[in-house]
Amino acid sequence: MTGLSFASPRRARTGTVALLVATLVALVLAPARSTAQDRGAAALGPLMEGLGVSARVLFIAAHPDDEDTQLITWLAKGRHVETAYLALTRGDGGQNLIGNELGESLGAIRTEELLAARRLDGGRQYFTRAFDFGFSKNAEETLTQWSRDSILRDVVTVVRQFRPHVIIAVFTGTPADGHGHHQVSGIFAREAYDASGDTVRFPRSTTAGYAPWSVQKFYRAAVYRGQDQATLRMNVGEYDPILGRSYSEIAADSRSQHKSQAMGSMQLKGARFDQVIREASRAPRAPSDAKKERDLFDGIDTTWTRFAPLMRTPAQKAALDSLPAAFAQARATLDLAHPEKSVAVLGRIARLLQVICRGASSPCIDSTTVRGAEGRTTLAHKEVSGDVWQVAAVNGDLAEAQAIAMARTQRALQLASGVAIEATASREVWGVGEEIPVTVKVYNRGARPILITPAMPLNPSPALLGELMASPFTLAPDSSYSSGILLKLAAPSEPWWLQTPRAGAMFTPRTFGISETSRRAPATVQIALSVEGAPLQVIEAPVVFRYADPIKGDTRHPFAGAPAVTLTLEDAVAYARANTQFERAIRVVVRSHTSSARDVTVRLQLPQGLVADSAARRVHFVGVAKPAAPSGPGAAFGIGGGPAPDQMEAVTFNVRGRLAPGRHVIAAIASSGGETFTTGFTQVQYDHIRPQRLYRPATLGVEAVDLTLPRAVNIAYIAGVGDNVAPMLEQLGVNVTVLDPATLPRTDLSHFAAVVVGTRAYEASDALVANNARLLDYARAGGTLVVQYGQYEMTRPGIMPFPITLSRPADRVTVEGAPVTIIDSAATVLTAPNAITARDFEGWIQDRTLYMPHTFDPAYKPVFETHDPGEEPNRGALLVAPYGKGTYVYTTFAFFRQLPNGNPGAARLMINLLSAHTGIVP
């Protein structure tokens, strides 16, 4: 569908810009909005300064937040070096200080936090297939979970794809790193440096077809080896007058995006130094004494003249010889108040770069084909269908340098010419296969008229319906163009690495070796732009849903596709008491994501022993009106003024019966229009990251636990970090009142049989620290106070009734099957109301204990002894102390992971802890 609309032009200048618009469907979400540093003079100035810089640096570490953000920012923003960070994992196994998401949901949050950080500091972002399975004490333990060959091959693949001149490992690769994942990242960083050029050990077919690459230098961060060993020192606190901040200030902003890990940082001004240690070098002209180096690239030829021997034609040689002068001319013409002055020279640079890598004689293309395990073909960085890999480059250095220079030139041309593009849909989520109207708007905010020609898809896609433009026309300065298009999505929008099931501690994505920062949105509108006769360049804009939020203002959410109908149960795992009357309301949230009216029938599949009050529930959705198709020139699809009403209904089945001990599955199934639907999604959404939808089957695993519950268990619960314990206790029949720590001074605690403090709550809540004496008074007066683990804040006077010490690094048990030995089988917490045995520690996930006390006051009586293989036993997993008339319990067992996972033994033990005071009887 086509249509045109114009704003009145204010002026006209000479020169033309030809535009083509096309739409493609790709893999994952693209940024919903740009930062101030991505626009105007703050973006154009650094781009122009960095046009001729072709050096590349790759940082390698283990997790989100491990990266040296200050050095990344100084290199990317200050020295215009193409800089990337490879994190082995997405941080799935950590804890969450901003919400209750754990596991893969937390990995999605931390992935987005890394991408938010990279948008600020200017780096690229890569990952391997490693799943963060939690804390590991050494490399040997880590590699029992990860496939050594697979993860190392992933690292080599990224090195060959990015082709860095320098690798900087954050960690040492030794036990000094303090975490097995850290240690492995340090080991693999060096092995990748040694082996990325070895086609015998790593044939091209095993690294996504990417050609071998020899890295020139290898450094390690000095912070973990000792600053006295540093061979190079850099002032990362330099001030940038165009950006208006120092690089360390920008880096602090970048680091503060790791909000789920409480990494908010002060933006401090002044000189700040970063130091690295050179460990290896292949650069023939690098100083033999590493301490005599002046910078990371000392001895490495990073000028464009290094490519002269590769030029195959006189035209290529002439173009290469002309580039340095053209880069210098571009910088000389830069006028931030009149950026159009640079358009001509930028167009010339684009033509020169194209000549260097054009045609069959291009030194940037290798036509050799090799078969790849994933059955895909890549040609000059572009994926096409097929069953072989065909990848650039005869000279990878030249191919990467040319691609980076062209991307920077095209971005500078866009900024200098004042061209902008927006693509909007009338709502956020649409059904897969549905025709989706999208409004495309092109703005000429520059000083030159734009010539728009009839449109053709640049990347043909079955998702594109109709043409975008009817005939050539000129778009004058201060004018805009609108067009309506129809497109379809072929699959739901979800994190790409979760589209296939995980195998243990390894993700199994179909595609790999592409930087996370370069992956496109589910639908991306492209403009092919030619300025001053320059080669066609592409400007992209993700399709978004845009509206005015009354509080936040201009709000843009990435456009997403979903199944026509989705089903979501409130929980994935639940508890029940075995062999007792089970009565529970099973609430199923049904959503329709298509525009048409739809009738949906929902049924439950129930395990033996359970029945529902109804065989089916029926829901009718009236549908959501789509914008009318444009009917003539100047028309475009309309855009909604706010979020469309959610097509959502909740149906409730009352289920009753009895369940034998064990895990039982309740499944929801929907039928509509001859189709069956069995999946739904949970949405992960925070203001600092882009929203994500994580799909899962519409099932509820009910763990029926054989336990005895004390009479009238009425407890208060103070939530901690990433804490889903309270709802699980309620499912077991415990009466739970969740308390805000700020209300403790005016809350009567005497009627609670126990008060429970969640994991790391003292770290997260100043109010809890301030009012802790109120809890201790409660215990002293006869109550039971159960405190779950904290970190070093627990050693502060006044937090615990009797002192403890913690070692550094802290004592913890990370092997899931590590033995737990009972010290005192007569202890009340082991005998009443449930008899606790070693069997209750079967099936635990990830951690057994965290931050166990290394020593503790004799007033505490230890109950268990546990340790990882080869380590000394520790008795700090569960401490019980009489305190006045009451009981104080301190536990470092990982209940915050075990209870939401439905572990039966952890539930039985927690019920006993609530009954620790002898005044509570079955």
Side-chain angles (χ1 to χ4, degrees):
M1 310 299 293
T2 64
L4 307 175
S5 65
F6 297 89
S8 299
R10 188 180 66 200
R11 62 187 185 278
R13 302 280 179 89
T14 59
T16 62
V17 181
L19 292 133
L20 299 175
V21 179
T23 304
L24 59 82
V25 173
L27 296 174
V28 294
L29 301 175
R33 62 172 71 233
S34 58
T35 66
Q37 294 179 16
D38 294 329
R39 304 190 294 268
L44 182 58
L47 274 173
M48 299 287 274
E49 288 294 322
L51 282 176
V53 180
S54 60
R56 300 177 295 278
V57 172
L58 176 66
F59 287 80
I60 299 177
H63 309 107
D65 95 338
D66 285 345
E67 74 271 31
D68 187 339
T69 311
Q70 293 197 120
L71 193 49
I72 290 175
T73 307
W74 182 79
L75 287 167
K77 296 286 188 181
R79 296 299 177 268
H80 315 297
V81 171
E82 195 71 11
T83 309
Y85 172 48
L86 167 60
L88 298 192
T89 78
R90 298 173 185 270
D92 327 74
Q95 295 180 47
N96 183 0
L97 274 74
I98 61 173
N100 294 334
E101 296 89 353
L102 294 173
E104 291 172 345
S105 297
L106 178 57
I109 291 172
R110 292 191 173 180
T111 295
E112 285 298 322
E113 288 179 338
L114 270 177
L115 295 178
R118 297 295 81 82
R119 288 193 289 272
L120 290 168
D121 60 36
R124 294 192 206 178
Q125 182 63 52
Y126 290 89
F127 295 97
T128 74
R129 288 172 288 180
F131 173 74
D132 181 352
F133 56 86
F135 185 83
S136 172
K137 292 182 176 177
N138 52 59
E140 292 74 22
E141 180 186 329
T142 296
L143 293 175
T144 64
Q145 299 274 352
W146 295 346
S147 166
R148 190 186 204 287
D149 291 343
S150 296
I151 302 303
L152 177 57
R153 185 168 63 248
D154 290 353
V155 177
V156 171
T157 300
V158 171
V159 170
R160 289 182 174 181
Q161 193 272 338
F162 182 61
R163 303 183 184 100
H165 298 100
V166 172
I167 287 177
I168 301 176
V170 173
F171 295 105
T172 67
T174 71
D177 295 332
H179 192 318
H181 299 178
H182 294 171
Q183 190 175 344
V184 168
S185 76
I187 293 169
F188 284 2
R190 178 55 193 263
E191 289 193 27
Y193 168 82
D194 293 334
S196 59
D198 186 346
T199 56
V200 175
R201 185 177 178 186
F202 294 101
R204 286 179 61 169
S205 60
T206 67
T207 58
Y210 292 110
W213 176 255
S214 292
V215 183
Q216 294 296 294
K217 288 185 182 180
F218 182 84
Y219 293 84
R220 292 193 193 272
V223 64
Y224 293 101
R225 291 284 289 269
Q227 304 290 355
D228 59 325
Q229 299 184 46
T231 59
L232 193 60
R233 188 168 182 254
M234 294 147 284
N235 178 15
V236 295
E238 290 181 22
Y239 175 71
D240 190 310
I242 294 179
L243 300 179
R245 291 194 289 174
S246 69
Y247 304 118
S248 63
E249 288 180 276
I250 297 171
D253 198 2
S254 169
R255 190 160 189 78
S256 295
Q257 302 310 302
H258 296 296
K259 300 183 191 300
S260 66
Q261 302 183 76
M263 287 292 168
S265 301
M266 294 286 288
Q267 297 185 26
L268 301 176
K269 299 176 175 62
R272 300 179 66 84
F273 290 91
D274 209 318
Q275 301 182 92
V276 295
I277 303 165
R278 194 184 84 187
E279 187 173 295
S281 175
R282 296 189 180 96
R285 293 185 295 277
S288 57
D289 183 353
K291 291 195 174 183
K292 293 183 178 179
E293 284 191 333
R294 297 165 297 175
D295 60 50
L296 292 171
F297 305 101
D298 206 348
I300 303 174
D301 185 1
T302 60
T303 68
W304 283 78
T305 58
R306 70 186 187 274
F307 302 126
L310 303 174
M311 299 299 101
R312 296 174 176 175
T313 67
Q316 289 170 350
K317 185 178 186 306
L320 182 70
D321 290 343
S322 300
L323 270 180
F327 291 144
Q329 184 184 1
R331 289 190 290 271
T333 61
L334 178 62
D335 184 338
L336 298 180
H338 299 282
E340 68 276 4
K341 294 180 180 179
S342 299
V343 167
V345 66
L346 288 170
R348 179 169 176 255
I349 291 172
R351 289 192 297 273
L352 294 173
L353 290 169
Q354 187 183 58
V355 168
I356 289 172
C357 287
R358 179 191 294 166
S361 62
S362 169
C364 299
I365 300 296
D366 180 3
S367 60
T368 302
T369 61
V370 290
R371 190 167 300 275
E374 294 178 349
R376 302 177 72 84
T377 298
T378 297
L379 175 60
H381 306 294
K382 184 185 298 182
E383 292 186 7
V384 296
S385 60
D387 60 358
V388 294
W389 285 98
Q390 191 172 29
V391 184
V394 168
N395 185 280
D397 191 12
L398 173 59
E400 196 66 21
Q402 193 267 359
I404 292 169
M406 183 64 84
R408 291 177 178 179
T409 301
Q410 291 181 345
R411 175 64 175 148
L413 272 168
Q414 177 190 354
L415 292 168
S417 59
V419 177
I421 179 174
E422 293 179 342
T424 52
S426 59
R427 67 176 190 267
E428 182 175 354
V429 183
W430 295 76
V432 169
E434 183 177 17
E435 290 188 2
I436 304 162
V438 173
T439 295
V440 179
K441 289 188 176 181
V442 182
Y443 298 89
N444 180 5
R445 302 186 294 178
R448 300 168 183 267
I450 299 173
L451 177 65
I452 299 178
T453 64
M456 293 173 57
L458 296 174
N459 294 285
S461 167
L464 181 65
L465 302 178
E467 295 182 352
L468 301 181
M469 305 171 192
S471 58
F473 66 94
T474 298
L475 187 63
D478 290 332
S479 295
S480 63
Y481 158 86
S482 295
S483 176
I485 62 172
L486 293 173
L487 48 86
K488 292 180 180 180
L489 289 181
S493 307
E494 62 181 318
W496 68 275
W497 65 94
L498 298 178
Q499 291 174 350
T500 53
R502 175 166 52 86
M506 298 280 291
F507 290 112
T508 57
R510 293 180 57 203
T511 59
F512 179 72
I514 303 171
S515 73
E516 205 77 19
T517 39
S518 68
R519 291 181 180 271
R520 290 190 177 94
T524 302
V525 170
Q526 293 185 325
I527 297 177
L529 169 66
S530 178
V531 183
E532 296 289 334
L536 213 63
Q537 69 170 90
V538 174
I539 301 171
E540 295 186 354
V543 179
V544 300
F545 167 55
R546 182 182 182 188
Y547 66 96
D549 183 277
I551 305 300
K552 300 175 184 178
D554 191 339
T555 301
R556 307 181 190 194
H557 289 177
F559 166 96
V565 175
T566 58
L567 302 169
T568 306
L569 277 68
E570 291 182 312
D571 300 301
V573 176
Y575 276 129
R577 295 172 62 194
N579 298 317
T580 62
Q581 185 62 30
F582 177 90
E583 293 185 3
R584 191 141 322 162
I586 304 300
R587 184 172 182 266
V588 184
V589 176
V590 187
R591 291 182 175 90
S592 172
H593 303 289
T594 60
S595 302
S596 58
R598 179 179 291 272
D599 291 309
V600 181
T601 301
V602 183
R603 293 178 171 83
L604 290 185
Q605 270 187 356
L606 297 172
Q608 184 177 359
L610 297 184
V611 295
D613 61 347
S614 174
R617 296 276 194 269
R618 290 175 176 79
V619 177
H620 175 71
F621 293 105
V622 298
V624 177
K626 292 192 292 187
S631 58
F637 292 112
I639 304 174
D646 201 357
Q647 292 193 92
M648 179 185 76
E649 294 286 344
V651 297
T652 301
F653 295 85
N654 295 306
V655 176
R656 59 186 176 82
R658 289 176 181 265
L659 291 172
R663 184 65 64 96
H664 308 269
V665 177
I666 298 174
I669 301 171
S671 57
S672 178
E675 295 181 88
T676 299
F677 304 92
T678 60
T679 62
F681 61 78
T682 56
Q683 183 153 313
V684 177
Q685 187 164 340
Y686 293 93
D687 286 345
H688 68 297
I689 59 174
R690 300 170 301 185
Q692 293 276 26
R693 289 170 182 81
L694 279 64
Y695 284 84
R696 64 176 176 86
T699 59
L700 172 65
V702 181
E703 184 68 35
V705 184
D706 187 3
L707 61 75
T708 301
L709 197 67
R711 291 200 304 265
V713 183
N714 182 31
I715 73 165
Y717 197 96
I718 298 172
V721 171
D723 192 346
N724 289 313
V725 168
M728 307 307 289
L729 294 177
E730 287 182 317
Q731 293 169 8
L732 291 168
V734 178
N735 298 318
V736 180
T737 300
V738 177
L739 293 182
D740 182 340
T743 67
L744 283 173
R746 58 183 183 273
T747 300
D748 180 8
L749 301 177
S750 63
H751 65 278
F752 293 116
V755 175
V756 183
V757 178
T759 297
R760 295 173 66 182
Y762 288 96
E763 176 189 358
S765 173
D766 292 336
L768 177 60
V769 174
N771 295 317
N772 187 56
R774 182 76 179 84
L775 296 180
L776 295 178
D777 288 343
Y778 158 80
R780 190 183 296 111
T784 297
L785 180 58
V786 180
V787 177
Q788 298 174 68
Y789 97 93
Q791 297 187 350
Y792 296 98
E793 70 277 4
M794 304 306 294
T795 64
R796 292 168 50 186
I799 298 296
M800 296 179 66
F802 310 107
I804 65 169
T805 67
L806 294 174
S807 61
R808 290 182 184 271
D811 297 325
R812 58 201 298 172
V813 177
T814 60
V815 176
E816 296 171 356
V820 178
T821 302
I822 295 174
I823 299 172
D824 180 9
S825 59
T828 302
V829 295
L830 299 184
T831 59
N834 302 285
I836 302 300
T837 69
R839 291 189 59 186
D840 288 297
F841 292 93
E842 295 176 357
W844 284 45
I845 62 167
Q846 194 161 322
D847 307 293
R848 280 231 189 268
T849 68
L850 303 92
Y851 289 81
M852 288 188 291
H854 190 67
T855 65
F856 45 85
D857 189 279
Y860 295 110
K861 303 304 178 185
V863 180
F864 296 104
E865 181 178 273
T866 185
H867 60 92
D868 276 330
E871 295 185 352
E872 292 296 318
N874 185 294
R875 295 188 167 196
L878 179 60
L879 304 176
V880 181
Y883 190 59
K885 297 179 181 180
T887 303
Y888 184 93
V889 179
Y890 185 64
T891 176
T892 61
F893 282 125
F895 286 107
F896 76 101
R897 294 196 191 278
Q898 311 314 319
L899 294 187
N901 193 56
N903 182 274
R908 288 161 47 84
L909 178 57
M910 176 57 84
I911 294 298
N912 279 22
L913 298 187
L914 303 181
S915 314
H917 189 46
T918 56
I920 301 179
V921 294

